[in-house]
Amino acid sequence: MIENLLVSLNVVFPIFVMLAIGVYVRKKKMVTDESLGIMNKLVFRIFMSSLLFINISNMDVKAVLDVKNLKLVGIIWGSLFFITICCYFLFERTMTDRNKIPVMIQGAYRANLALFGIPMAMSLYGEKGLGVMSLVSAAAIPLTNMMAVSLLEGYATKKVNFKKVLVSIAKNPLIICSTLALIVVFLDIKLPKLIKNPIVSLGQVATPLSFVVLGATLKFDSLVKNLRLSMIANTIKLVILPLIAMTIGIKVGFTNEHLLGILGATGAPGAVSSFIMVKEIGGDEDLAAELVVSSTLISILTLFLWIFILKTFNYL
């Protein structure tokens, strides 16, 4: 049991430290809102995109089309659709503020997979885990973005240029790099070291810088306004959704890096981009911000517990 605790701690504690450094940097006024905005763009457009591209492009086409991996993607997609539909009926019946409903639904299913999933995979399974988690990212990120647009646009009180939003999603650097990487895999393109090595170096910066920027971005004074709603969404997102998805995964026979892929796609906290999308399309911006902050903080504990439980029962 002590060994499992240490393994779980080794996965989650570095994330906590990097977030704490970000909070410290913000407190000491080493960064401003403007500089954080620039750094956020830099992280996701360059560093995180490079990491995702390299991880996917390193996969073999047989691995991408492997029946086991396709089942994995199917379980994740099915779980996300299921929880979204359940939340739609739940919040439609129990909430009167229509600005909050799509934000709550999005907060209950949308995960910061690229940022949280990849470090977990790297820590537990190295390159083998990175391949599976990157494939999961390539499958889940476009889906969750499209679902979010559909929800927010459907509830929007202001006129929305749907085409403009879709184009914005298509320009998402993570989606573009995932698509390019899959093209490289399917066409069996061998990237020369002259091109590959700089991308690898850029990708190595992604994880630490991403968490430091995220920690500096968190604003704790916005956690109390919608505390009850935040707890409901976070319980669904961080406990119920991963419980459903991983139970199905275990029943199918998944263990190790494949089960971790399910945990990353369903149990990671809310994506910062979810707040940006609410701000762009419409919805309760304050609630969206609270869900990102609260889910990030609570996920440090829930991810630790999930990994510990799965290790204890020899699923990881």
Side-chain angles (χ1 to χ4, degrees), residues 56-198:
I56 296 174
S57 63
N58 282 339
M59 296 186 70
D60 186 84
V61 66
K62 292 181 180 178
V64 175
L65 296 176
D66 181 72
V67 174
K68 192 172 185 179
N69 287 335
L70 293 177
K71 283 183 180 179
L72 176 67
V73 172
I75 289 172
I76 291 170
W77 280 1
S79 300
L80 292 175
F81 276 124
F82 174 75
I83 209 71
T84 300
I85 292 170
C86 289
C87 287
Y88 169 78
F89 286 111
L90 173 64
F91 298 139
E92 270 285 329
R93 289 173 178 270
T94 58
M95 297 179 65
T96 54
D97 189 340
R98 294 185 64 80
N99 269 336
K100 286 182 167 61
I101 293 175
V103 178
M104 285 290 287
I105 298 172
Q106 178 183 232
Y109 80 82
R110 193 170 179 186
N112 205 340
L113 175 57
L115 185 52
F116 279 78
I118 288 176
M120 290 194 302
M122 188 182 300
S123 178
L124 282 172
Y125 297 108
E127 293 296 326
K128 188 178 180 182
L130 279 177
V132 173
M133 192 65 76
S134 298
L135 179 62
V136 169
S137 299
I141 290 173
L143 175 68
T144 54
N145 273 274
M146 290 300 296
M147 288 168 61
V149 169
S150 301
L151 280 167
L152 293 170
E153 201 276 340
Y155 280 91
T157 54
K158 60 184 180 181
K159 188 176 181 181
V160 178
N161 188 330
F162 194 61
K163 182 179 178 181
K164 183 180 177 181
V165 176
L166 289 177
V167 170
S168 176
I169 290 176
K171 289 181 179 179
N172 183 313
L174 297 181
I175 294 176
I176 292 173
C177 287
S178 298
T179 304
L180 290 175
L182 287 173
I183 292 173
V184 168
V185 171
F186 283 110
L187 296 182
D188 196 23
I189 299 172
K190 303 298 180 185
L191 295 175
K193 289 186 177 180
L194 189 67
I195 295 175
K196 187 174 182 178
N197 288 346

Side-chain angles (χ1 to χ4, degrees), residues 72 75-76 78-80 82 120 124 133 236-268 302-311 315-316:
L72 176 67
I75 289 172
I76 291 170
S79 300
L80 292 175
F82 174 75
M120 290 194 302
L124 282 172
M133 192 65 76
I236 296 171
K237 175 73 201 69
L238 303 175
V239 179
I240 296 175
L241 174 56
L243 177 62
I244 292 171
M246 288 192 293
T247 299
I248 297 171
I250 291 170
K251 291 289 184 183
V252 171
F254 285 132
T255 57
N256 301 321
E257 66 271 16
H258 290 87
L259 197 59
L260 188 67
I262 295 175
L263 175 60
T266 59
T302 55
L303 288 174
F304 170 81
L305 291 174
W306 278 125
I307 293 171
F308 174 69
I309 292 168
L310 294 172
K311 286 290 293 182
Y315 290 121
L316 290 183

Side-chain angles (χ1 to χ4, degrees), residues 91 104 107-108 228-238 291:
F91 298 139
M104 285 290 287
R228 185 182 66 85
L229 293 178
S230 294
M231 294 309 296
I232 292 171
N234 288 329
T235 299
I236 296 171
K237 175 73 201 69
L238 303 175
L291 290 179

